[in-house]
mmCIF file of all heavy atoms in Angstrom:
data_model
loop_
_atom_site.group_PDB
_atom_site.id
_atom_site.type_symbol
_atom_site.label_atom_id
_atom_site.label_comp_id
_atom_site.label_asym_id
_atom_site.label_seq_id
_atom_site.Cartn_x
_atom_site.Cartn_y
_atom_site.Cartn_z
ATOM 1 N N LYS A 1 77.930 78.407 114.548
ATOM 2 C CA LYS A 1 78.979 77.827 115.376
ATOM 3 C C LYS A 1 80.299 78.574 115.182
ATOM 4 O O LYS A 1 81.038 78.837 116.133
ATOM 5 C CB LYS A 1 79.181 76.346 115.020
ATOM 6 C CG LYS A 1 78.125 75.422 115.593
ATOM 7 C CD LYS A 1 78.280 75.306 117.101
ATOM 8 C CE LYS A 1 77.185 74.437 117.677
ATOM 9 N NZ LYS A 1 77.198 74.485 119.158
ATOM 10 N N PHE A 2 80.599 78.902 113.945
ATOM 11 C CA PHE A 2 81.819 79.652 113.641
ATOM 12 C C PHE A 2 81.789 81.014 114.338
ATOM 13 O O PHE A 2 82.775 81.450 114.939
ATOM 14 C CB PHE A 2 81.939 79.824 112.122
ATOM 15 C CG PHE A 2 83.116 80.660 111.685
ATOM 16 C CD1 PHE A 2 84.406 80.191 111.864
ATOM 17 C CD2 PHE A 2 82.937 81.896 111.099
ATOM 18 C CE1 PHE A 2 85.500 80.959 111.461
ATOM 19 C CE2 PHE A 2 84.011 82.656 110.695
ATOM 20 C CZ PHE A 2 85.299 82.187 110.872
ATOM 21 N N GLY A 3 80.642 81.676 114.289
ATOM 22 C CA GLY A 3 80.502 82.973 114.950
ATOM 23 C C GLY A 3 80.622 82.867 116.457
ATOM 24 O O GLY A 3 81.190 83.753 117.111
ATOM 25 N N GLN A 4 80.103 81.782 117.044
ATOM 26 C CA GLN A 4 80.216 81.586 118.487
ATOM 27 C C GLN A 4 81.671 81.449 118.915
ATOM 28 O O GLN A 4 82.073 81.983 119.952
ATOM 29 C CB GLN A 4 79.424 80.345 118.907
ATOM 30 C CG GLN A 4 77.912 80.544 118.865
ATOM 31 C CD GLN A 4 77.162 79.258 119.167
ATOM 32 O OE1 GLN A 4 77.736 78.182 119.139
ATOM 33 N NE2 GLN A 4 75.883 79.382 119.457
ATOM 34 N N ILE A 5 82.448 80.735 118.125
ATOM 35 C CA ILE A 5 83.868 80.595 118.444
ATOM 36 C C ILE A 5 84.561 81.955 118.366
ATOM 37 O O ILE A 5 85.334 82.339 119.252
ATOM 38 C CB ILE A 5 84.541 79.591 117.490
ATOM 39 C CG1 ILE A 5 83.966 78.191 117.700
ATOM 40 C CG2 ILE A 5 86.051 79.566 117.692
ATOM 41 C CD1 ILE A 5 84.392 77.185 116.656
ATOM 42 N N LEU A 6 84.247 82.713 117.306
ATOM 43 C CA LEU A 6 84.863 84.031 117.147
ATOM 44 C C LEU A 6 84.473 84.990 118.269
ATOM 45 O O LEU A 6 85.254 85.864 118.641
ATOM 46 C CB LEU A 6 84.464 84.639 115.804
ATOM 47 C CG LEU A 6 85.141 84.102 114.549
ATOM 48 C CD1 LEU A 6 84.621 84.833 113.319
ATOM 49 C CD2 LEU A 6 86.653 84.269 114.634
ATOM 50 N N SER A 7 83.274 84.840 118.831
ATOM 51 C CA SER A 7 82.770 85.806 119.807
ATOM 52 C C SER A 7 83.616 85.851 121.069
ATOM 53 O O SER A 7 83.598 86.854 121.793
ATOM 54 C CB SER A 7 81.317 85.472 120.177
ATOM 55 O OG SER A 7 81.252 84.284 120.942
ATOM 56 N N THR A 8 84.362 84.782 121.366
ATOM 57 C CA THR A 8 85.202 84.766 122.570
ATOM 58 C C THR A 8 86.574 85.389 122.315
ATOM 59 O O THR A 8 87.356 85.540 123.254
ATOM 60 C CB THR A 8 85.404 83.329 123.071
ATOM 61 O OG1 THR A 8 86.115 82.572 122.081
ATOM 62 C CG2 THR A 8 84.065 82.665 123.334
ATOM 63 N N ARG A 9 86.860 85.755 121.076
ATOM 64 C CA ARG A 9 88.195 86.251 120.721
ATOM 65 C C ARG A 9 88.191 87.767 120.590
ATOM 66 O O ARG A 9 88.411 88.320 119.515
ATOM 67 C CB ARG A 9 88.688 85.601 119.421
ATOM 68 C CG ARG A 9 88.628 84.104 119.410
ATOM 69 C CD ARG A 9 89.447 83.506 120.527
ATOM 70 N NE ARG A 9 90.805 83.970 120.448
ATOM 71 C CZ ARG A 9 91.607 84.075 121.486
ATOM 72 N NH1 ARG A 9 91.174 83.789 122.675
ATOM 73 N NH2 ARG A 9 92.838 84.516 121.325
ATOM 74 N N ARG A 10 87.973 88.459 121.700
ATOM 75 C CA ARG A 10 87.924 89.922 121.675
ATOM 76 C C ARG A 10 89.297 90.535 121.395
ATOM 77 O O ARG A 10 89.383 91.721 121.060
ATOM 78 C CB ARG A 10 87.369 90.455 122.995
ATOM 79 C CG ARG A 10 85.879 90.183 123.147
ATOM 80 C CD ARG A 10 85.297 90.763 124.416
ATOM 81 N NE ARG A 10 83.856 90.579 124.447
ATOM 82 C CZ ARG A 10 82.975 91.447 123.972
ATOM 83 N NH1 ARG A 10 83.396 92.581 123.443
ATOM 84 N NH2 ARG A 10 81.684 91.201 124.023
ATOM 85 N N ASP A 11 90.344 89.762 121.582
ATOM 86 C CA ASP A 11 91.672 90.271 121.249
ATOM 87 C C ASP A 11 91.913 90.259 119.742
ATOM 88 O O ASP A 11 92.823 90.928 119.251
ATOM 89 C CB ASP A 11 92.745 89.435 121.946
ATOM 90 C CG ASP A 11 92.636 87.954 121.600
ATOM 91 O OD1 ASP A 11 91.494 87.445 121.559
ATOM 92 O OD2 ASP A 11 93.671 87.310 121.363
ATOM 93 N N LEU A 12 91.100 89.511 118.994
ATOM 94 C CA LEU A 12 91.282 89.416 117.540
ATOM 95 C C LEU A 12 90.221 90.187 116.769
ATOM 96 O O LEU A 12 90.372 90.384 115.566
ATOM 97 C CB LEU A 12 91.241 87.944 117.100
ATOM 98 C CG LEU A 12 92.248 86.995 117.772
ATOM 99 C CD1 LEU A 12 92.058 85.580 117.250
ATOM 100 C CD2 LEU A 12 93.667 87.465 117.516
ATOM 101 N N LEU A 13 89.146 90.626 117.442
ATOM 102 C CA LEU A 13 88.022 91.277 116.762
ATOM 103 C C LEU A 13 87.801 92.677 117.321
ATOM 104 O O LEU A 13 88.035 92.915 118.508
ATOM 105 C CB LEU A 13 86.734 90.472 116.955
ATOM 106 C CG LEU A 13 86.629 89.101 116.304
ATOM 107 C CD1 LEU A 13 85.326 88.436 116.729
ATOM 108 C CD2 LEU A 13 86.690 89.207 114.796
ATOM 109 N N PRO A 14 87.310 93.606 116.497
ATOM 110 C CA PRO A 14 86.871 94.895 117.036
ATOM 111 C C PRO A 14 85.702 94.704 117.997
ATOM 112 O O PRO A 14 84.928 93.749 117.879
ATOM 113 C CB PRO A 14 86.423 95.663 115.776
ATOM 114 C CG PRO A 14 87.070 94.971 114.628
ATOM 115 C CD PRO A 14 87.207 93.528 115.040
ATOM 116 N N ASP A 15 85.554 95.613 118.958
ATOM 117 C CA ASP A 15 84.536 95.451 120.003
ATOM 118 C C ASP A 15 83.123 95.387 119.430
ATOM 119 O O ASP A 15 82.283 94.627 119.928
ATOM 120 C CB ASP A 15 84.631 96.610 121.005
ATOM 121 C CG ASP A 15 85.849 96.478 121.904
ATOM 122 O OD1 ASP A 15 86.388 95.360 121.989
ATOM 123 O OD2 ASP A 15 86.262 97.492 122.501
ATOM 124 N N ASP A 16 82.830 96.197 118.398
ATOM 125 C CA ASP A 16 81.460 96.226 117.883
ATOM 126 C C ASP A 16 81.071 94.881 117.277
ATOM 127 O O ASP A 16 79.943 94.405 117.446
ATOM 128 C CB ASP A 16 81.298 97.348 116.852
ATOM 129 C CG ASP A 16 82.227 97.183 115.652
ATOM 130 O OD1 ASP A 16 83.381 96.756 115.852
ATOM 131 O OD2 ASP A 16 81.799 97.478 114.514
ATOM 132 N N ILE A 17 82.016 94.203 116.600
ATOM 133 C CA ILE A 17 81.729 92.895 116.013
ATOM 134 C C ILE A 17 81.645 91.831 117.101
ATOM 135 O O ILE A 17 80.740 90.985 117.091
ATOM 136 C CB ILE A 17 82.800 92.526 114.969
ATOM 137 C CG1 ILE A 17 82.747 93.509 113.779
ATOM 138 C CG2 ILE A 17 82.620 91.096 114.479
ATOM 139 C CD1 ILE A 17 83.795 93.260 112.726
ATOM 140 N N ALA A 18 82.564 91.872 118.084
ATOM 141 C CA ALA A 18 82.539 90.885 119.168
ATOM 142 C C ALA A 18 81.247 90.977 119.971
ATOM 143 O O ALA A 18 80.665 89.957 120.359
ATOM 144 C CB ALA A 18 83.754 91.092 120.080
ATOM 145 N N ASP A 19 80.762 92.208 120.231
ATOM 146 C CA ASP A 19 79.516 92.381 120.993
ATOM 147 C C ASP A 19 78.330 91.761 120.262
ATOM 148 O O ASP A 19 77.453 91.139 120.871
ATOM 149 C CB ASP A 19 79.246 93.872 121.240
ATOM 150 C CG ASP A 19 80.219 94.460 122.259
ATOM 151 O OD1 ASP A 19 80.824 93.691 123.017
ATOM 152 O OD2 ASP A 19 80.377 95.701 122.275
ATOM 153 N N GLU A 20 78.275 91.942 118.946
ATOM 154 C CA GLU A 20 77.165 91.386 118.176
ATOM 155 C C GLU A 20 77.256 89.859 118.092
ATOM 156 O O GLU A 20 76.260 89.161 118.227
ATOM 157 C CB GLU A 20 77.138 91.985 116.766
ATOM 158 C CG GLU A 20 76.565 93.378 116.695
ATOM 159 C CD GLU A 20 75.098 93.426 117.098
ATOM 160 O OE1 GLU A 20 74.366 92.465 116.794
ATOM 161 O OE2 GLU A 20 74.694 94.409 117.727
ATOM 162 N N LEU A 21 78.469 89.337 117.874
ATOM 163 C CA LEU A 21 78.621 87.886 117.771
ATOM 164 C C LEU A 21 78.322 87.198 119.099
ATOM 165 O O LEU A 21 77.923 86.029 119.120
ATOM 166 C CB LEU A 21 80.043 87.532 117.313
ATOM 167 C CG LEU A 21 80.411 87.926 115.884
ATOM 168 C CD1 LEU A 21 81.807 87.427 115.530
ATOM 169 C CD2 LEU A 21 79.405 87.405 114.878
ATOM 170 N N ALA A 22 78.496 87.920 120.217
ATOM 171 C CA ALA A 22 78.168 87.347 121.520
ATOM 172 C C ALA A 22 76.684 87.001 121.619
ATOM 173 O O ALA A 22 76.295 86.101 122.366
ATOM 174 C CB ALA A 22 78.555 88.315 122.633
ATOM 175 N N GLN A 23 75.850 87.694 120.844
ATOM 176 C CA GLN A 23 74.414 87.408 120.863
ATOM 177 C C GLN A 23 74.094 86.063 120.221
ATOM 178 O O GLN A 23 73.015 85.507 120.427
ATOM 179 C CB GLN A 23 73.648 88.520 120.142
ATOM 180 C CG GLN A 23 73.757 89.876 120.809
ATOM 181 C CD GLN A 23 72.828 90.899 120.180
ATOM 182 O OE1 GLN A 23 71.720 90.554 119.780
ATOM 183 N NE2 GLN A 23 73.275 92.125 120.095
ATOM 184 N N LEU A 24 75.035 85.532 119.431
ATOM 185 C CA LEU A 24 74.805 84.225 118.811
ATOM 186 C C LEU A 24 74.812 83.107 119.844
ATOM 187 O O LEU A 24 74.360 82.001 119.575
ATOM 188 C CB LEU A 24 75.892 83.935 117.766
ATOM 189 C CG LEU A 24 75.877 84.794 116.505
ATOM 190 C CD1 LEU A 24 77.128 84.536 115.684
ATOM 191 C CD2 LEU A 24 74.641 84.528 115.677
ATOM 192 N N GLN A 25 75.324 83.383 121.047
ATOM 193 C CA GLN A 25 75.486 82.327 122.031
ATOM 194 C C GLN A 25 74.155 81.824 122.567
ATOM 195 O O GLN A 25 74.028 80.681 122.940
ATOM 196 C CB GLN A 25 76.392 82.826 123.160
ATOM 197 C CG GLN A 25 77.822 83.025 122.676
ATOM 198 C CD GLN A 25 78.637 83.894 123.608
ATOM 199 O OE1 GLN A 25 78.152 84.326 124.651
ATOM 200 N NE2 GLN A 25 79.869 84.175 123.233
ATOM 201 N N ASP A 26 73.165 82.683 122.670
ATOM 202 C CA ASP A 26 71.861 82.194 123.143
ATOM 203 C C ASP A 26 70.695 83.009 122.608
ATOM 204 O O ASP A 26 69.596 82.939 123.127
ATOM 205 C CB ASP A 26 71.822 82.176 124.673
ATOM 206 C CG ASP A 26 72.088 83.555 125.287
ATOM 207 O OD1 ASP A 26 72.252 84.505 124.509
ATOM 208 O OD2 ASP A 26 72.123 83.657 126.524
ATOM 209 N N ARG A 27 70.929 83.797 121.557
ATOM 210 C CA ARG A 27 69.853 84.645 121.050
ATOM 211 C C ARG A 27 69.605 84.433 119.555
ATOM 212 O O ARG A 27 69.236 85.342 118.843
ATOM 213 C CB ARG A 27 70.183 86.123 121.304
ATOM 214 C CG ARG A 27 70.251 86.479 122.785
ATOM 215 C CD ARG A 27 70.360 87.991 122.965
ATOM 216 N NE ARG A 27 70.524 88.351 124.359
ATOM 217 C CZ ARG A 27 71.689 88.506 124.965
ATOM 218 N NH1 ARG A 27 72.801 88.313 124.282
ATOM 219 N NH2 ARG A 27 71.768 88.841 126.223
ATOM 220 N N VAL A 28 69.869 83.231 119.076
ATOM 221 C CA VAL A 28 69.536 82.902 117.691
ATOM 222 C C VAL A 28 68.010 82.920 117.558
ATOM 223 O O VAL A 28 67.304 82.471 118.464
ATOM 224 C CB VAL A 28 70.108 81.516 117.322
ATOM 225 C CG1 VAL A 28 69.672 81.096 115.940
ATOM 226 C CG2 VAL A 28 71.629 81.534 117.423
ATOM 227 N N PRO A 29 67.462 83.456 116.463
ATOM 228 C CA PRO A 29 65.995 83.509 116.309
ATOM 229 C C PRO A 29 65.356 82.145 116.554
ATOM 230 O O PRO A 29 65.772 81.140 115.967
ATOM 231 C CB PRO A 29 65.817 83.965 114.860
ATOM 232 C CG PRO A 29 67.040 84.753 114.554
ATOM 233 C CD PRO A 29 68.148 84.089 115.322
ATOM 234 N N PRO A 30 64.341 82.066 117.433
ATOM 235 C CA PRO A 30 63.737 80.774 117.782
ATOM 236 C C PRO A 30 62.738 80.310 116.733
ATOM 237 O O PRO A 30 62.276 81.090 115.904
ATOM 238 C CB PRO A 30 63.029 81.072 119.103
ATOM 239 C CG PRO A 30 62.646 82.515 118.992
ATOM 240 C CD PRO A 30 63.757 83.181 118.214
ATOM 241 N N PHE A 31 62.408 79.020 116.766
ATOM 242 C CA PHE A 31 61.275 78.540 115.976
ATOM 243 C C PHE A 31 60.037 78.580 116.875
ATOM 244 O O PHE A 31 60.159 78.657 118.109
ATOM 245 C CB PHE A 31 61.543 77.144 115.399
ATOM 246 C CG PHE A 31 61.815 76.068 116.400
ATOM 247 C CD1 PHE A 31 60.782 75.290 116.914
ATOM 248 C CD2 PHE A 31 63.105 75.794 116.835
ATOM 249 C CE1 PHE A 31 61.018 74.281 117.831
ATOM 250 C CE2 PHE A 31 63.357 74.781 117.756
ATOM 251 C CZ PHE A 31 62.310 74.030 118.247
ATOM 252 N N PRO A 32 58.826 78.543 116.318
ATOM 253 C CA PRO A 32 57.607 78.772 117.108
ATOM 254 C C PRO A 32 57.452 77.795 118.281
ATOM 255 O O PRO A 32 57.757 76.600 118.175
ATOM 256 C CB PRO A 32 56.484 78.578 116.083
ATOM 257 C CG PRO A 32 57.121 78.844 114.765
ATOM 258 C CD PRO A 32 58.533 78.364 114.885
ATOM 259 N N GLY A 33 56.948 78.315 119.409
ATOM 260 C CA GLY A 33 56.762 77.505 120.606
ATOM 261 C C GLY A 33 55.748 76.394 120.433
ATOM 262 O O GLY A 33 55.905 75.301 120.994
ATOM 263 N N ASP A 34 54.690 76.660 119.634
ATOM 264 C CA ASP A 34 53.696 75.600 119.423
ATOM 265 C C ASP A 34 54.284 74.449 118.613
ATOM 266 O O ASP A 34 53.911 73.284 118.799
ATOM 267 C CB ASP A 34 52.445 76.174 118.746
ATOM 268 C CG ASP A 34 52.758 76.767 117.381
ATOM 269 O OD1 ASP A 34 53.930 77.135 117.143
ATOM 270 O OD2 ASP A 34 51.835 76.862 116.548
ATOM 271 N N GLN A 35 55.244 74.766 117.737
ATOM 272 C CA GLN A 35 55.929 73.708 116.991
ATOM 273 C C GLN A 35 56.803 72.873 117.939
ATOM 274 O O GLN A 35 56.865 71.649 117.820
ATOM 275 C CB GLN A 35 56.783 74.315 115.875
ATOM 276 C CG GLN A 35 57.359 73.295 114.911
ATOM 277 C CD GLN A 35 58.125 73.954 113.765
ATOM 278 O OE1 GLN A 35 58.412 75.143 113.790
ATOM 279 N NE2 GLN A 35 58.456 73.161 112.759
ATOM 280 N N ALA A 36 57.460 73.549 118.881
ATOM 281 C CA ALA A 36 58.254 72.827 119.877
ATOM 282 C C ALA A 36 57.358 71.911 120.706
ATOM 283 O O ALA A 36 57.720 70.759 121.004
ATOM 284 C CB ALA A 36 58.976 73.818 120.780
ATOM 285 N N ARG A 37 56.171 72.398 121.068
ATOM 286 C CA ARG A 37 55.227 71.579 121.842
ATOM 287 C C ARG A 37 54.851 70.309 121.065
ATOM 288 O O ARG A 37 54.831 69.210 121.621
ATOM 289 C CB ARG A 37 53.982 72.406 122.154
ATOM 290 C CG ARG A 37 52.882 71.624 122.874
ATOM 291 C CD ARG A 37 51.623 72.463 122.971
ATOM 292 N NE ARG A 37 51.763 73.507 123.966
ATOM 293 C CZ ARG A 37 51.429 73.395 125.245
ATOM 294 N NH1 ARG A 37 50.911 72.256 125.684
ATOM 295 N NH2 ARG A 37 51.591 74.394 126.083
ATOM 296 N N ARG A 38 54.574 70.465 119.768
ATOM 297 C CA ARG A 38 54.191 69.298 118.959
ATOM 298 C C ARG A 38 55.340 68.294 118.855
ATOM 299 O O ARG A 38 55.129 67.078 118.898
ATOM 300 C CB ARG A 38 53.749 69.756 117.561
ATOM 301 C CG ARG A 38 52.418 70.505 117.553
ATOM 302 C CD ARG A 38 51.865 70.612 116.140
ATOM 303 N NE ARG A 38 52.760 71.339 115.263
ATOM 304 C CZ ARG A 38 52.730 72.662 115.090
ATOM 305 N NH1 ARG A 38 51.861 73.400 115.776
ATOM 306 N NH2 ARG A 38 53.570 73.262 114.256
ATOM 307 N N LEU A 39 56.573 68.793 118.720
ATOM 308 C CA LEU A 39 57.725 67.904 118.641
ATOM 309 C C LEU A 39 57.895 67.116 119.944
ATOM 310 O O LEU A 39 58.204 65.913 119.932
ATOM 311 C CB LEU A 39 58.998 68.718 118.355
ATOM 312 C CG LEU A 39 59.141 69.283 116.944
ATOM 313 C CD1 LEU A 39 60.308 70.263 116.874
ATOM 314 C CD2 LEU A 39 59.358 68.156 115.930
ATOM 315 N N ILE A 40 57.689 67.795 121.085
ATOM 316 C CA ILE A 40 57.815 67.129 122.391
ATOM 317 C C ILE A 40 56.743 66.051 122.536
ATOM 318 O O ILE A 40 57.026 64.917 122.964
ATOM 319 C CB ILE A 40 57.709 68.170 123.519
ATOM 320 C CG1 ILE A 40 58.916 69.123 123.473
ATOM 321 C CG2 ILE A 40 57.629 67.484 124.881
ATOM 322 C CD1 ILE A 40 58.778 70.343 124.358
ATOM 323 N N GLU A 41 55.515 66.383 122.181
ATOM 324 C CA GLU A 41 54.419 65.418 122.306
ATOM 325 C C GLU A 41 54.635 64.210 121.404
ATOM 326 O O GLU A 41 54.358 63.064 121.791
ATOM 327 C CB GLU A 41 53.090 66.097 121.985
ATOM 328 C CG GLU A 41 52.674 67.120 123.033
ATOM 329 C CD GLU A 41 51.380 67.839 122.684
ATOM 330 O OE1 GLU A 41 50.998 67.837 121.487
ATOM 331 O OE2 GLU A 41 50.756 68.412 123.599
ATOM 332 N N LYS A 42 55.160 64.461 120.206
ATOM 333 C CA LYS A 42 55.414 63.350 119.289
ATOM 334 C C LYS A 42 56.516 62.435 119.831
ATOM 335 O O LYS A 42 56.420 61.199 119.737
ATOM 336 C CB LYS A 42 55.806 63.894 117.911
ATOM 337 C CG LYS A 42 56.048 62.808 116.875
ATOM 338 C CD LYS A 42 56.404 63.413 115.525
ATOM 339 C CE LYS A 42 56.679 62.329 114.492
ATOM 340 N NZ LYS A 42 57.067 62.914 113.173
ATOM 341 N N SER A 43 57.553 63.027 120.413
ATOM 342 C CA SER A 43 58.671 62.225 120.932
ATOM 343 C C SER A 43 58.290 61.448 122.178
ATOM 344 O O SER A 43 58.671 60.282 122.337
ATOM 345 C CB SER A 43 59.872 63.135 121.231
ATOM 346 O OG SER A 43 60.396 63.672 120.049
ATOM 347 N N LEU A 44 57.551 62.096 123.101
ATOM 348 C CA LEU A 44 57.194 61.443 124.361
ATOM 349 C C LEU A 44 55.947 60.580 124.240
ATOM 350 O O LEU A 44 55.653 59.775 125.129
ATOM 351 C CB LEU A 44 57.005 62.493 125.455
ATOM 352 C CG LEU A 44 58.240 63.347 125.791
ATOM 353 C CD1 LEU A 44 57.925 64.329 126.902
ATOM 354 C CD2 LEU A 44 59.426 62.477 126.175
ATOM 355 N N GLY A 45 55.176 60.771 123.168
ATOM 356 C CA GLY A 45 54.002 59.950 122.939
ATOM 357 C C GLY A 45 52.820 60.284 123.833
ATOM 358 O O GLY A 45 51.928 59.448 124.019
#
């Protein structure tokens, strides 16, 4: 979350760091899809 906030501040960060932090917005390493399926099935019954 801290990195996501920083990623919008290109006036305060060098470009190479801002470009990498921008990936935190939707490219955080995912957890397995089959695990997500099991969580959905458990919640919806």
